[in-house]
mmCIF file with all atom_site columns, all heavy atoms in Angstrom:
data_model
loop_
_atom_site.group_PDB
_atom_site.id
_atom_site.type_symbol
_atom_site.label_atom_id
_atom_site.label_alt_id
_atom_site.label_comp_id
_atom_site.label_asym_id
_atom_site.label_entity_id
_atom_site.label_seq_id
_atom_site.pdbx_PDB_ins_code
_atom_site.Cartn_x
_atom_site.Cartn_y
_atom_site.Cartn_z
_atom_site.occupancy
_atom_site.B_iso_or_equiv
_atom_site.pdbx_formal_charge
_atom_site.auth_seq_id
_atom_site.auth_comp_id
_atom_site.auth_asym_id
_atom_site.auth_atom_id
_atom_site.pdbx_PDB_model_num
ATOM 1   N N   . LYS A 1 9  ? -6.214  12.165 12.680 1.00 98.00 ? 32 LYS A N   1
ATOM 2   C CA  . LYS A 1 9  ? -6.446  12.926 11.450 1.00 98.00 ? 32 LYS A CA  1
ATOM 3   C C   . LYS A 1 9  ? -7.865  13.456 11.451 1.00 98.00 ? 32 LYS A C   1
ATOM 4   O O   . LYS A 1 9  ? -8.817  12.705 11.703 1.00 98.00 ? 32 LYS A O   1
ATOM 5   C CB  . LYS A 1 9  ? -6.234  12.002 10.235 1.00 98.00 ? 32 LYS A CB  1
ATOM 6   C CG  . LYS A 1 9  ? -6.661  12.616 8.917  1.00 98.00 ? 32 LYS A CG  1
ATOM 7   C CD  . LYS A 1 9  ? -5.765  13.774 8.525  1.00 98.00 ? 32 LYS A CD  1
ATOM 8   C CE  . LYS A 1 9  ? -6.191  14.409 7.213  1.00 98.00 ? 32 LYS A CE  1
ATOM 9   N NZ  . LYS A 1 9  ? -5.440  15.667 6.968  1.00 98.00 ? 32 LYS A NZ  1
ATOM 10  N N   . GLU A 1 10 ? -7.986  14.748 11.203 1.00 97.00 ? 33 GLU A N   1
ATOM 11  C CA  . GLU A 1 10 ? -9.319  15.365 11.118 1.00 97.00 ? 33 GLU A CA  1
ATOM 12  C C   . GLU A 1 10 ? -9.554  15.898 9.717  1.00 97.00 ? 33 GLU A C   1
ATOM 13  O O   . GLU A 1 10 ? -8.637  16.419 9.090  1.00 97.00 ? 33 GLU A O   1
ATOM 14  C CB  . GLU A 1 10 ? -9.406  16.569 12.077 1.00 97.00 ? 33 GLU A CB  1
ATOM 15  C CG  . GLU A 1 10 ? -9.384  16.209 13.533 1.00 97.00 ? 33 GLU A CG  1
ATOM 16  C CD  . GLU A 1 10 ? -9.390  17.467 14.405 1.00 97.00 ? 33 GLU A CD  1
ATOM 17  O OE1 . GLU A 1 10 ? -9.541  18.585 13.869 1.00 97.00 ? 33 GLU A OE1 1
ATOM 18  O OE2 . GLU A 1 10 ? -9.240  17.313 15.631 1.00 97.00 ? 33 GLU A OE2 1
ATOM 19  N N   . PHE A 1 11 ? -10.773 15.743 9.257  1.00 96.00 ? 34 PHE A N   1
ATOM 20  C CA  . PHE A 1 11 ? -11.239 16.467 8.071  1.00 96.00 ? 34 PHE A CA  1
ATOM 21  C C   . PHE A 1 11 ? -12.360 17.374 8.537  1.00 96.00 ? 34 PHE A C   1
ATOM 22  O O   . PHE A 1 11 ? -13.358 16.871 9.077  1.00 96.00 ? 34 PHE A O   1
ATOM 23  C CB  . PHE A 1 11 ? -11.791 15.515 7.005  1.00 96.00 ? 34 PHE A CB  1
ATOM 24  C CG  . PHE A 1 11 ? -10.733 14.734 6.258  1.00 96.00 ? 34 PHE A CG  1
ATOM 25  C CD1 . PHE A 1 11 ? -10.686 13.360 6.364  1.00 96.00 ? 34 PHE A CD1 1
ATOM 26  C CD2 . PHE A 1 11 ? -9.813  15.373 5.438  1.00 96.00 ? 34 PHE A CD2 1
ATOM 27  C CE1 . PHE A 1 11 ? -9.734  12.624 5.660  1.00 96.00 ? 34 PHE A CE1 1
ATOM 28  C CE2 . PHE A 1 11 ? -8.855  14.646 4.733  1.00 96.00 ? 34 PHE A CE2 1
ATOM 29  C CZ  . PHE A 1 11 ? -8.808  13.276 4.850  1.00 96.00 ? 34 PHE A CZ  1
ATOM 30  N N   . ASN A 1 12 ? -12.242 18.663 8.385  1.00 93.00 ? 35 ASN A N   1
ATOM 31  C CA  . ASN A 1 12 ? -13.291 19.607 8.792  1.00 93.00 ? 35 ASN A CA  1
ATOM 32  C C   . ASN A 1 12 ? -13.814 19.309 10.197 1.00 93.00 ? 35 ASN A C   1
ATOM 33  O O   . ASN A 1 12 ? -15.017 19.133 10.399 1.00 93.00 ? 35 ASN A O   1
ATOM 34  C CB  . ASN A 1 12 ? -14.478 19.591 7.805  1.00 93.00 ? 35 ASN A CB  1
ATOM 35  C CG  . ASN A 1 12 ? -14.020 19.536 6.376  1.00 93.00 ? 35 ASN A CG  1
ATOM 36  O OD1 . ASN A 1 12 ? -13.113 20.267 5.985  1.00 93.00 ? 35 ASN A OD1 1
ATOM 37  N ND2 . ASN A 1 12 ? -14.608 18.645 5.588  1.00 93.00 ? 35 ASN A ND2 1
ATOM 38  N N   . HIS A 1 13 ? -12.914 19.207 11.146 1.00 93.00 ? 36 HIS A N   1
ATOM 39  C CA  . HIS A 1 13 ? -13.253 19.015 12.558 1.00 93.00 ? 36 HIS A CA  1
ATOM 40  C C   . HIS A 1 13 ? -13.887 17.659 12.860 1.00 93.00 ? 36 HIS A C   1
ATOM 41  O O   . HIS A 1 13 ? -14.409 17.440 13.936 1.00 93.00 ? 36 HIS A O   1
ATOM 42  C CB  . HIS A 1 13 ? -14.156 20.145 13.079 1.00 93.00 ? 36 HIS A CB  1
ATOM 43  C CG  . HIS A 1 13 ? -13.589 21.499 12.788 1.00 93.00 ? 36 HIS A CG  1
ATOM 44  N ND1 . HIS A 1 13 ? -12.462 21.991 13.406 1.00 93.00 ? 36 HIS A ND1 1
ATOM 45  C CD2 . HIS A 1 13 ? -13.966 22.454 11.899 1.00 93.00 ? 36 HIS A CD2 1
ATOM 46  C CE1 . HIS A 1 13 ? -12.184 23.191 12.921 1.00 93.00 ? 36 HIS A CE1 1
ATOM 47  N NE2 . HIS A 1 13 ? -13.074 23.497 12.000 1.00 93.00 ? 36 HIS A NE2 1
ATOM 48  N N   . THR A 1 14 ? -13.886 16.754 11.889 1.00 95.00 ? 37 THR A N   1
ATOM 49  C CA  . THR A 1 14 ? -14.335 15.392 12.175 1.00 95.00 ? 37 THR A CA  1
ATOM 50  C C   . THR A 1 14 ? -13.111 14.497 12.241 1.00 95.00 ? 37 THR A C   1
ATOM 51  O O   . THR A 1 14 ? -12.306 14.478 11.306 1.00 95.00 ? 37 THR A O   1
ATOM 52  C CB  . THR A 1 14 ? -15.279 14.881 11.066 1.00 95.00 ? 37 THR A CB  1
ATOM 53  O OG1 . THR A 1 14 ? -16.334 15.829 10.919 1.00 95.00 ? 37 THR A OG1 1
ATOM 54  C CG2 . THR A 1 14 ? -15.835 13.513 11.402 1.00 95.00 ? 37 THR A CG2 1
ATOM 55  N N   . GLU A 1 15 ? -12.995 13.782 13.329 1.00 96.00 ? 38 GLU A N   1
ATOM 56  C CA  . GLU A 1 15 ? -11.824 12.930 13.502 1.00 96.00 ? 38 GLU A CA  1
ATOM 57  C C   . GLU A 1 15 ? -12.053 11.605 12.760 1.00 96.00 ? 38 GLU A C   1
ATOM 58  O O   . GLU A 1 15 ? -12.917 10.816 13.116 1.00 96.00 ? 38 GLU A O   1
ATOM 59  C CB  . GLU A 1 15 ? -11.598 12.669 14.998 1.00 96.00 ? 38 GLU A CB  1
ATOM 60  C CG  . GLU A 1 15 ? -10.133 12.450 15.308 1.00 96.00 ? 38 GLU A CG  1
ATOM 61  C CD  . GLU A 1 15 ? -9.828  12.471 16.793 1.00 96.00 ? 38 GLU A CD  1
ATOM 62  O OE1 . GLU A 1 15 ? -10.686 12.064 17.598 1.00 96.00 ? 38 GLU A OE1 1
ATOM 63  O OE2 . GLU A 1 15 ? -8.705  12.881 17.138 1.00 96.00 ? 38 GLU A OE2 1
ATOM 64  N N   . VAL A 1 16 ? -11.280 11.354 11.722 1.00 98.00 ? 39 VAL A N   1
ATOM 65  C CA  . VAL A 1 16 ? -11.445 10.108 10.951 1.00 98.00 ? 39 VAL A CA  1
ATOM 66  C C   . VAL A 1 16 ? -10.360 9.082  11.303 1.00 98.00 ? 39 VAL A C   1
ATOM 67  O O   . VAL A 1 16 ? -10.491 7.911  10.969 1.00 98.00 ? 39 VAL A O   1
ATOM 68  C CB  . VAL A 1 16 ? -11.491 10.346 9.432  1.00 98.00 ? 39 VAL A CB  1
ATOM 69  C CG1 . VAL A 1 16 ? -12.631 11.280 9.075  1.00 98.00 ? 39 VAL A CG1 1
ATOM 70  C CG2 . VAL A 1 16 ? -10.178 10.883 8.908  1.00 98.00 ? 39 VAL A CG2 1
ATOM 71  N N   . LEU A 1 17 ? -9.292  9.540  11.979 1.00 98.00 ? 40 LEU A N   1
ATOM 72  C CA  . LEU A 1 17 ? -8.325  8.604  12.563 1.00 98.00 ? 40 LEU A CA  1
ATOM 73  C C   . LEU A 1 17 ? -8.131  9.028  14.015 1.00 98.00 ? 40 LEU A C   1
ATOM 74  O O   . LEU A 1 17 ? -7.872  10.199 14.299 1.00 98.00 ? 40 LEU A O   1
ATOM 75  C CB  . LEU A 1 17 ? -6.988  8.627  11.824 1.00 98.00 ? 40 LEU A CB  1
ATOM 76  C CG  . LEU A 1 17 ? -6.965  8.072  10.398 1.00 98.00 ? 40 LEU A CG  1
ATOM 77  C CD1 . LEU A 1 17 ? -5.578  8.270  9.777  1.00 98.00 ? 40 LEU A CD1 1
ATOM 78  C CD2 . LEU A 1 17 ? -7.341  6.588  10.370 1.00 98.00 ? 40 LEU A CD2 1
ATOM 79  N N   . LYS A 1 18 ? -8.305  8.065  14.909 1.00 98.00 ? 41 LYS A N   1
ATOM 80  C CA  . LYS A 1 18 ? -8.284  8.387  16.343 1.00 98.00 ? 41 LYS A CA  1
ATOM 81  C C   . LYS A 1 18 ? -7.187  7.605  17.041 1.00 98.00 ? 41 LYS A C   1
ATOM 82  O O   . LYS A 1 18 ? -7.272  6.380  17.142 1.00 98.00 ? 41 LYS A O   1
ATOM 83  C CB  . LYS A 1 18 ? -9.638  8.020  16.974 1.00 98.00 ? 41 LYS A CB  1
ATOM 84  C CG  . LYS A 1 18 ? -10.816 8.731  16.347 1.00 98.00 ? 41 LYS A CG  1
ATOM 85  C CD  . LYS A 1 18 ? -12.139 8.059  16.714 1.00 98.00 ? 41 LYS A CD  1
ATOM 86  C CE  . LYS A 1 18 ? -13.267 8.608  15.862 1.00 98.00 ? 41 LYS A CE  1
ATOM 87  N NZ  . LYS A 1 18 ? -14.474 7.770  15.928 1.00 98.00 ? 41 LYS A NZ  1
ATOM 88  N N   . ASN A 1 19 ? -6.150  8.318  17.437 1.00 97.00 ? 42 ASN A N   1
ATOM 89  C CA  . ASN A 1 19 ? -5.171  7.711  18.341 1.00 97.00 ? 42 ASN A CA  1
ATOM 90  C C   . ASN A 1 19 ? -4.645  6.359  17.820 1.00 97.00 ? 42 ASN A C   1
ATOM 91  O O   . ASN A 1 19 ? -4.696  5.360  18.527 1.00 97.00 ? 42 ASN A O   1
ATOM 92  C CB  . ASN A 1 19 ? -5.858  7.520  19.702 1.00 97.00 ? 42 ASN A CB  1
ATOM 93  C CG  . ASN A 1 19 ? -4.852  7.496  20.831 1.00 97.00 ? 42 ASN A CG  1
ATOM 94  O OD1 . ASN A 1 19 ? -3.766  8.063  20.704 1.00 97.00 ? 42 ASN A OD1 1
ATOM 95  N ND2 . ASN A 1 19 ? -5.194  6.817  21.906 1.00 97.00 ? 42 ASN A ND2 1
ATOM 96  N N   . ILE A 1 20 ? -4.164  6.365  16.594 1.00 98.00 ? 43 ILE A N   1
ATOM 97  C CA  . ILE A 1 20 ? -3.716  5.114  15.968 1.00 98.00 ? 43 ILE A CA  1
ATOM 98  C C   . ILE A 1 20 ? -2.294  4.759  16.414 1.00 98.00 ? 43 ILE A C   1
ATOM 99  O O   . ILE A 1 20 ? -1.371  5.576  16.303 1.00 98.00 ? 43 ILE A O   1
ATOM 100 C CB  . ILE A 1 20 ? -3.727  5.248  14.424 1.00 98.00 ? 43 ILE A CB  1
ATOM 101 C CG1 . ILE A 1 20 ? -5.127  5.566  13.905 1.00 98.00 ? 43 ILE A CG1 1
ATOM 102 C CG2 . ILE A 1 20 ? -3.157  3.989  13.752 1.00 98.00 ? 43 ILE A CG2 1
ATOM 103 C CD1 . ILE A 1 20 ? -6.103  4.432  13.953 1.00 98.00 ? 43 ILE A CD1 1
ATOM 104 N N   . ASP A 1 21 ? -2.117  3.564  16.913 1.00 98.00 ? 44 ASP A N   1
ATOM 105 C CA  . ASP A 1 21 ? -0.804  2.988  17.207 1.00 98.00 ? 44 ASP A CA  1
ATOM 106 C C   . ASP A 1 21 ? -0.650  1.736  16.352 1.00 98.00 ? 44 ASP A C   1
ATOM 107 O O   . ASP A 1 21 ? -1.547  0.889  16.335 1.00 98.00 ? 44 ASP A O   1
ATOM 108 C CB  . ASP A 1 21 ? -0.680  2.572  18.681 1.00 98.00 ? 44 ASP A CB  1
ATOM 109 C CG  . ASP A 1 21 ? -0.668  3.773  19.604 1.00 98.00 ? 44 ASP A CG  1
ATOM 110 O OD1 . ASP A 1 21 ? 0.077   4.716  19.324 1.00 98.00 ? 44 ASP A OD1 1
ATOM 111 O OD2 . ASP A 1 21 ? -1.432  3.751  20.587 1.00 98.00 ? 44 ASP A OD2 1
ATOM 112 N N   . LEU A 1 22 ? 0.476   1.657  15.662 1.00 98.00 ? 45 LEU A N   1
ATOM 113 C CA  . LEU A 1 22 ? 0.654   0.537  14.750 1.00 98.00 ? 45 LEU A CA  1
ATOM 114 C C   . LEU A 1 22 ? 2.139   0.290  14.546 1.00 98.00 ? 45 LEU A C   1
ATOM 115 O O   . LEU A 1 22 ? 2.928   1.240  14.502 1.00 98.00 ? 45 LEU A O   1
ATOM 116 C CB  . LEU A 1 22 ? 0.002   0.899  13.400 1.00 98.00 ? 45 LEU A CB  1
ATOM 117 C CG  . LEU A 1 22 ? 0.113   -0.083 12.236 1.00 98.00 ? 45 LEU A CG  1
ATOM 118 C CD1 . LEU A 1 22 ? -0.752  -1.305 12.501 1.00 98.00 ? 45 LEU A CD1 1
ATOM 119 C CD2 . LEU A 1 22 ? -0.323  0.595  10.939 1.00 98.00 ? 45 LEU A CD2 1
#
Side-chain angles (χ1 to χ4, degrees):
K32 171 68 181 171
E33 291 177 7
F34 286 116
N35 318 314
H36 308 291
T37 306
E38 209 168 32
V39 301
L40 291 176
K41 301 164 191 165
N42 205 25
I43 300 287
D44 292 312
L45 177 71

